[in-house]
Amino acid sequence: MADPQSQTDFSFFQTFLCSAFAACVAELCTIPLDVAKVRLQLQKKAAATDGMGQSRYRGLMGTIATIAKEEGLPALWKGVIAGLHRQCIYGGLRIGLYDPVKLYLVGNNFVGDIPLHQKILAALFTGAVAISVANPTDLVKVRLQAEGKLPAGVPRRYSGTLDAYFTIIRQEGLMALWTGIGPNIARNAIINAAELASYDQVKQMILKIPGFLDSIFTHLLAGLGAGFFAVCIGSPVDVVKSRMMGDSTYKNTIDCFVKTLQNEGPFAFYKGFLPNFGRLGSWNAVMFLTLEQAKKLFGL
């Protein structure tokens, strides 16, 4: 008989691979929406106009169209390499650790549906641990996505993903790769809890409805629900995180929060809400659909 510990380790490794793969597929499919979301979040009232009093970026489709027109279609996939780095680490760890932590909290002998608060605690913990490891990839992704069209003769800040890592270390120091770690932990722990716990809970509720099976349609509904809860709950910390990573003028998380509130009002924390939901809703739908199918292949 196989050693239970080795079975657990193998199961974690399989889940990690499935999760990383599913997260990368979702990232590739939705990164243009993420680029639009970051540009909208970084857009400030004082510098948001095109010279005629009009905001440079207006709405999800308007932002995508502006980026494509001014910078070309490839610009919509800016930061994709760093995004894939992030998903391999963050996506694999947060989901791979979720079930083991959840079972640890309730005990191996627990029978029945795991309480929602235990799911939330498990997801908060795994989200925080995963992003603590993956923060450098998130920083580089945001820096690359934040760079728009530059005037003629002005060189780009970074020539590529690897150059961004090395340039940040050389110019700002190794610990600069963990810039924004505070709001990033808060954001990803909260969003991870909203995504994983709500997906778990919504799927569980749907399966109790007569006629519903553990099917692609069920996974789609649960994934969209997870994305909606994640955006509603995590949008304010997401805006602060993007601004701190994209603009080094803020002293710390509180400074960024206070300045944003004073200069732009409370609705600034929900800037990019629709593209954020468009991105997270579709991202979760694609990710959970891919994850469920990948897990079936491994017999998990």
Side-chain angles (χ1 to χ4, degrees):
M1 183 180 292
D3 177 35
Q5 183 61 45
S6 64
Q7 287 182 327
T8 301
D9 292 343
F10 187 53
S11 178
F12 166 75
F13 182 65
Q14 288 176 316
T15 304
F16 178 89
L17 288 179
C18 290
S19 305
F21 172 72
C24 285
V25 170
E27 190 76 6
L28 283 170
C29 292
T30 62
I31 199 161
L33 298 173
D34 194 42
V35 172
K37 178 208 75 171
V38 169
R39 294 288 181 89
L40 283 168
Q41 288 179 337
L42 293 178
Q43 183 169 254
K44 300 175 185 177
K45 285 185 176 178
T49 62
D50 57 9
M52 296 182 292
Q54 296 292 320
S55 293
R56 185 180 182 190
Y57 301 123
R58 302 181 69 185
L60 173 61
M61 299 313 297
T63 301
I64 290 174
T66 299
I67 294 170
K69 181 181 177 181
E70 293 184 352
E71 304 168 49
L73 283 174
L76 292 170
W77 274 266
K78 271 185 178 178
V80 67
I81 301 301
L84 294 176
H85 291 169
R86 178 187 188 273
Q87 294 304 340
C88 282
I89 300 170
Y90 175 69
L93 284 175
R94 75 180 181 111
I95 300 172
L97 290 170
Y98 178 61
D99 280 337
V101 172
K102 193 168 57 173
L103 291 174
Y104 174 79
L105 290 174
V106 297
N108 291 328
N109 298 322
F110 181 84
V111 177
D113 294 334
I114 295 176
L116 178 60
H117 72 277
Q118 299 283 33
K119 295 175 183 177
I120 292 172
L121 283 175
L124 284 171
F125 176 77
T126 61
V129 169
I131 201 59
S132 295
V133 178
N135 197 80
T137 63
D138 216 6
L139 176 75
V140 169
K141 177 186 170 186
V142 170
R143 291 272 182 100
L144 291 171
Q145 288 178 337
E147 194 170 61
K149 184 181 180 181
L150 299 173
V154 177
R156 291 205 168 273
R157 195 175 180 185
Y158 311 112
S159 62
T161 305
L162 290 179
D163 177 63
Y165 285 117
F166 290 119
T167 300
I168 291 168
I169 292 172
R170 186 173 64 252
Q171 295 182 351
E172 304 173 48
L174 179 63
M175 294 311 296
L177 290 173
W178 277 268
T179 298
I181 185 65
N184 214 14
I185 286 177
R187 182 248 185 196
N188 284 279
I190 291 168
I191 288 182
N192 194 50
E195 286 179 351
L196 296 188
S198 64
Y199 179 81
D200 221 350
Q201 195 72 14
V202 171
K203 180 182 171 184
Q204 182 181 303
M205 290 169 62
I206 292 174
L207 290 176
K208 289 181 179 179
I209 300 173
F212 279 88
L213 302 172
D214 192 6
S215 62
I216 288 177
F217 183 63
T218 298
H219 304 156
L220 179 64
L221 287 179
L224 288 172
F228 179 74
F229 283 117
V231 178
C232 288
I233 296 169
S235 205
V237 285
D238 191 38
V239 169
V240 172
K241 185 261 318 185
S242 290
R243 291 198 171 187
M244 281 196 69
M245 288 184 167
D247 187 344
S248 58
T249 60
Y250 296 114
K251 297 175 183 177
N252 50 50
T253 305
I254 302 299
D255 181 55
C256 180
F257 181 87
V258 171
K259 285 182 177 176
T260 301
L261 183 62
Q262 287 178 339
N263 296 332
E264 302 172 58
F267 289 109
F269 295 109
Y270 283 90
K271 252 186 182 176
F273 181 86
L274 287 179
N276 206 4
F277 173 64
R279 194 247 173 186
L280 268 183
S282 56
W283 192 95
N284 275 279
V286 173
M287 195 281 289
F288 282 114
L289 280 172
T290 307
L291 177 62
E292 295 279 9
Q293 299 309 308
K295 287 169 74 174
K296 283 182 181 178
L297 289 176
F298 276 103
L300 297 174

